[in-house]
Amino acid sequence: MKCVVCKGPAVIDIRRHNANFCADHFLEQCRRQVTKAIDEFSMIERDDRVLVAVSGGKDSLAVWDLLVALGYRADGLYIGLGIGDYSAVSATYARDFATARGLHLVEVDLPDAYGYDIPTGSRAARRAPCSACGLSKRHLFDKAALDGGYDVLVTGHNLDDEAAVLFGNTLHWHTEYLGRQLPVLPARDGFPRKVKPLVRLTERETAAYCVIRGIDYLVEECPMAAGNRHLSYKAALNDIEAASPGAKHAFYFGFLDRAASHFAAEAASDREELGACRSCGAPTTAEVCAFCRLVERAGGHVPSSEGPASVPVALGATRAPRAGMASVERVPAP
Ligand code: Q46
Ligand code: ZN
Ligand code: ZN
């Protein structure tokens, strides 16, 4: 197996590109694919301040490393979810990565700051763990990006993730989500711009990138992921990809090129005038946002930066809205 660029010994084959690469040219290939995604979808400007949501896993650490290598000013954001040992260990991977490279990591600990953890929130709100977790993370990502004055929030979603979400939304014809399943969600009042620079790389490739770059990442999966339908969609797509290399790429990028715009009107019609959450000021269609309702049900509290310190969420209290959020849109669940 020879590298398609230098003819030296290859370390990885990428069947959908019908190409093999040596270590150096594979890294170059990853940087090229990320650059192409950023340029194609106008994800990040050169002078943007970038916040990368990191979990300690391969994708988020790879995208942080890639953005820094490409010259972007990128800080990390780690959210402690209180998922037992998994959270304790994942935090060390994020911290060690940042420390070893002299990068800045913003940390928010859900149990410390809000008084609940994901297992408790999930039980109390009678939501699937990933639903309570996704809701919490989205709120905290938005808040950290806006509070920190960042221009853009980056997540490590890769081609496998996006194809699986698209597969699920298509299977169930969640057309209101299809119109918004894009690699860039523009900034709106109350929401930062959100981008996914890894959409042209698979998780096998981000794992290989980390190994070659010497990035130590948490291999263990989140223990609460068991039963998540997303995993069965990924497995089904992996079978299809094995029989038909390039199928995932064609499915996802074909959707972006030829189908997403057909659902844009429905996605737009779903955008309601949002007001400010009475408790935390975040944009919401209800009086109190879904995050604050989750916090309240889980017996937690909002910290002083969002509301009264260390007291239960006051569902009847009135707070000033976040600055400049007259008209905003709801961001769909991933
Ligand atoms: S951390 Fe949270 Fe994931 Fe764990 S509970 Fe589900 S959503 S699987 S990315
Ligand atoms: Zn080579
Ligand atoms: Zn709220």
Side-chain angles (χ1 to χ4, degrees):
M1 199 165 82
K2 289 183 177 173
C3 172
V4 71
V5 182
C6 69
K7 310 299 177 207
V11 298
I12 188 167
D13 64 312
I14 302 184
R15 290 180 67 201
R16 75 179 183 290
H17 293 314
N18 197 21
N20 307 320
F21 295 98
C22 69
D24 284 349
H25 288 120
F26 174 67
L27 297 180
E28 200 176 282
Q29 159 79 356
C30 292
R31 291 192 284 265
R32 193 164 47 239
Q33 294 299 324
V34 166
T35 300
K36 192 168 176 182
I38 291 172
D39 292 348
E40 190 175 358
F41 300 105
S42 304
M43 290 184 178
I44 311 174
E45 300 293 329
R46 269 288 148 206
D47 56 354
D48 277 351
R49 284 190 66 224
V50 180
L51 185 62
V52 184
V54 292
S55 65
K58 62 187 184 318
D59 301 306
S60 56
L61 293 182
V63 75
W64 194 5
D65 188 74
L66 279 156
L67 292 178
V68 170
L70 291 169
Y72 292 100
R73 293 185 299 160
D75 293 343
L77 167 65
Y78 176 81
I79 308 280
L81 299 166
I83 304 177
D85 288 347
Y86 173 78
S87 287
V89 175
S90 63
T92 64
Y93 283 90
R95 284 182 202 131
D96 289 352
F97 177 91
T99 305
R101 291 158 183 80
L103 298 171
H104 179 58
L105 181 69
V106 178
E107 291 196 48
V108 178
D109 189 75
L110 193 63
D112 281 354
Y114 293 86
Y116 75 99
D117 55 32
I118 293 303
T120 307
S122 164
R123 277 193 303 273
R126 297 191 183 165
R127 299 177 76 123
C130 292
S131 166
C133 184
L135 169 59
S136 304
K137 285 194 291 192
R138 283 193 297 279
H139 179 90
L140 297 172
F141 288 173
D142 290 348
K143 180 172 163 47
L146 294 172
D147 287 356
Y150 292 94
D151 299 294
V152 57
L153 178 85
V154 167
T155 56
H157 294 95
N158 57 43
L159 177 59
D160 298 84
D161 296 322
E162 293 306 290
V165 172
L166 176 60
F167 195 41
N169 283 338
T170 307
L171 271 181
H172 301 286
W173 290 114
H174 288 313
T175 50
E176 72 280 19
Y177 292 156
L178 287 174
R180 288 180 250 161
Q181 203 201 320
L182 306 171
V184 175
L185 287 174
R188 301 237 158 200
D189 290 338
F191 294 115
R193 183 182 350 136
K194 294 179 186 175
V195 305
K196 301 170 182 174
L198 294 185
V199 287
R200 299 186 65 88
L201 295 175
T202 65
E203 56 187 39
R204 175 173 172 263
E205 290 151 29
T206 59
Y209 178 89
C210 287
V211 170
I212 293 171
R213 286 282 287 165
I215 296 170
D216 208 8
Y217 64 88
L218 179 60
V219 176
E220 187 192 332
E221 294 289 342
C222 170
M224 311 211 79
N228 187 330
R229 278 185 299 182
H230 194 69
L231 296 180
S232 62
Y233 300 151
K234 274 192 174 178
L237 286 168
N238 283 341
D239 285 346
I240 295 169
E241 181 76 15
S244 176
K248 269 183 221 176
H249 181 103
F251 180 49
Y252 178 64
F253 285 94
F255 163 77
L256 293 181
D257 282 348
R258 299 160 68 179
S261 61
H262 293 290
F263 302 103
E266 184 177 355
S269 72
D270 198 39
R271 288 172 197 160
E272 301 161 66
E273 281 286 305
L274 301 190
C277 169
R278 252 185 349 201
S279 177
C280 74
T284 176
T285 52
E287 279 192 44
V288 174
C289 75
F291 174 75
C292 285
R293 294 200 302 272
L294 172 64
V295 174
E296 196 261 342
R297 281 188 183 169
H301 54 77
V302 291
S304 54
S305 60
E306 280 191 71
S310 298
V311 295
V313 173
L315 298 184
T318 302
R319 290 193 70 232
R322 279 184 193 163
M325 46 161 300
S327 173
V328 290
E329 75 174 314
R330 183 170 47 203
V331 176

